[in-house]
């Protein structure tokens, strides 16, 4: 009995240790970006309660931007659902990469499924950097402390700042509004590990505005699927073969 109580206290301690991670630079940048998201929601006609609900339920800032963009553009619900789903599929490899390092034989499946909701770029990078320094049986509590706290604080930020940004001069509100796409662009570019991702990013930046003029209701879907497909074809048939040639030449010149 005393041993189980000690384990519980230890897990709580690691939970609070994870909470302190919200003072890290990536977390602070994300929280600042949610100030911009509140301005974005206000300018788009989204109510305060809807913006807070999005922050809690759709845990990825780019996905929330896409959702609001499709709503404002008048896209059907099915198109909005598809666009947000496609943007969130990228979280699946992140979840798959950290769950084996985070779980242990006593980790309940329902808890791991619950915590997978909080996996996004910021929490994934934090986990990759710090989980190895945490005892395996305490990693779930550690990650929960960071990710849940970060989500709740961002929800509070959106709820509080939604009313504040309405009182700001237009130029200040505009600057806060720009924090969201700046964070989106910077985080995607910085986290890209393969050339095809950066290529898709560049193509998407070009195709997005173009598709908005051609087909406003489905611009994100067309730019996302079309731009990603074009990027894959270019990388598969042009970029990779060119990389393979120097490697092959190096092998031939070897001893």
């Amino acid at each position: 009995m005393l041993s189980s109580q000690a384990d519980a206290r230890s897990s709580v301690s690691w939970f609070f240790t994870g909470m302190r991670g919200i003072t890290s630079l990536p977390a602070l940048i994300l929280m600042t970006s949610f100030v911009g998201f509140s301005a974005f929601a206000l300018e788009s006609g989204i109510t305060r309660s809807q913006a807070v609900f999005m922050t809690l339920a759709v845990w990825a800032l780019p996905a929330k931007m896409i959702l609001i963009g499709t709503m404002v553009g008048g896209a059907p619900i099915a198109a909005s659902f598809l666009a947000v789903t496609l943007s969130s599929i990228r979280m699946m490899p992140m979840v798959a990469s950290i769950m084996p390092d985070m779980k242990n034989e006593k980790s309940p499946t329902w808890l791991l499924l619950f915590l997978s909701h909080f996996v996004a770029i910021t929490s994934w990078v934090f986990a990759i950097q710090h989980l190895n320094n945490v005892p395996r049986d305490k990693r779930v509590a550690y990650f929960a402390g960071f990710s849940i706290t970060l989500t709740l604080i961002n929800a509070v930020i959106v709820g509080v700042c939604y009313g504040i940004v309405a009182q700001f001069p237009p130029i200040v509100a505009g600057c806060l509004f720009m924090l969201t796409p700046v964070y989106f662009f910077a985080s995607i570019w910085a986290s890209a590990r393969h050339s095809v991702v950066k290529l898709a990013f560049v193509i998407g930046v070009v195709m997005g505005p173009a598709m908005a003029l051609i087909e406003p209701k489905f611009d994100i879907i067309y730019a996302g699927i079309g731009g990603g497909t074009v990027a894959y074809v270019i990388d598969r048939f042009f970029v990779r073969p060119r990389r393979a040639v120097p490697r092959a030449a190096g092998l031939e010149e070897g001893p």
Side-chain angles (χ1 to χ4, degrees):
M1 182 68 177
L2 293 176
S3 176
S4 62
Q5 291 177 351
D7 289 342
R9 288 195 298 271
S10 181
S11 295
V12 171
S13 175
W14 279 106
F15 183 90
F16 284 110
T17 301
M19 288 179 62
R20 291 199 292 269
I22 64 173
T23 60
S24 62
L25 182 60
L28 293 175
I29 293 175
L30 181 62
M31 287 187 281
T32 304
S33 298
F34 269 91
V35 177
F37 171 74
S38 65
F40 177 55
L42 176 65
E43 292 295 324
S44 301
I46 303 299
T47 66
R48 186 201 304 265
S49 58
Q50 289 172 339
V52 172
F53 177 78
M54 286 183 184
T55 305
L56 294 172
V58 186
W59 182 232
L61 189 54
K64 283 188 276 288
M65 291 179 61
I66 292 173
L67 178 59
I68 293 179
T70 54
M71 291 170 59
V72 173
I77 294 179
S80 300
F81 176 83
L82 179 61
V84 174
T85 300
L86 292 175
S87 74
S88 299
I89 286 176
R90 62 193 173 89
M91 305 298 178
M92 293 181 63
M94 296 182 185
V95 174
S97 65
I98 66 173
M99 283 300 169
D101 292 332
M102 187 166 65
K103 69 177 183 179
N104 59 76
E105 62 277 2
K106 297 182 180 179
S107 302
T109 302
W110 68 265
L111 180 58
L112 296 177
L113 291 173
F114 173 72
L115 292 179
S116 67
H117 169 70
F118 301 96
V119 176
I121 292 177
T122 303
S123 57
W124 179 78
V125 171
F126 182 85
I128 291 295
Q129 292 176 341
H130 299 286
L131 280 184
N132 289 334
N133 300 323
V134 179
R136 176 170 286 275
D137 60 334
K138 309 303 179 190
R139 292 178 182 179
V140 170
Y142 181 77
F143 180 79
F146 174 77
S147 59
I148 294 176
T149 303
L150 183 62
T151 305
L152 294 177
I153 287 180
N154 283 329
V156 172
I157 289 174
V158 171
V160 173
C161 292
Y162 184 94
I164 295 176
V165 296
Q167 308 301 323
F168 287 169
I171 188 168
V172 176
C175 291
L176 292 173
F177 170 80
M178 286 302 298
L179 286 175
T180 303
V182 167
Y183 171 79
F184 174 49
F185 288 169
S187 61
I188 293 297
W189 188 266
S191 62
R193 296 185 177 182
H194 303 286
S195 59
V196 65
V197 178
K198 293 186 175 182
L199 186 60
F201 179 86
V202 174
I203 295 175
V205 170
V206 175
M207 287 188 62
M211 291 296 103
L213 296 175
I214 298 174
E215 186 57 59
K217 293 185 178 181
F218 297 92
D219 54 338
I220 295 177
I221 295 179
Y222 290 159
I225 297 178
T229 303
V230 172
Y232 172 79
V233 171
I234 294 176
D235 183 76
R236 176 67 177 82
F237 295 101
F238 296 95
V239 177
R240 293 185 190 179
R242 290 185 178 182
R243 289 180 178 175
V245 171
R247 292 177 183 175
L251 292 175
E252 292 176 356
E253 294 175 0

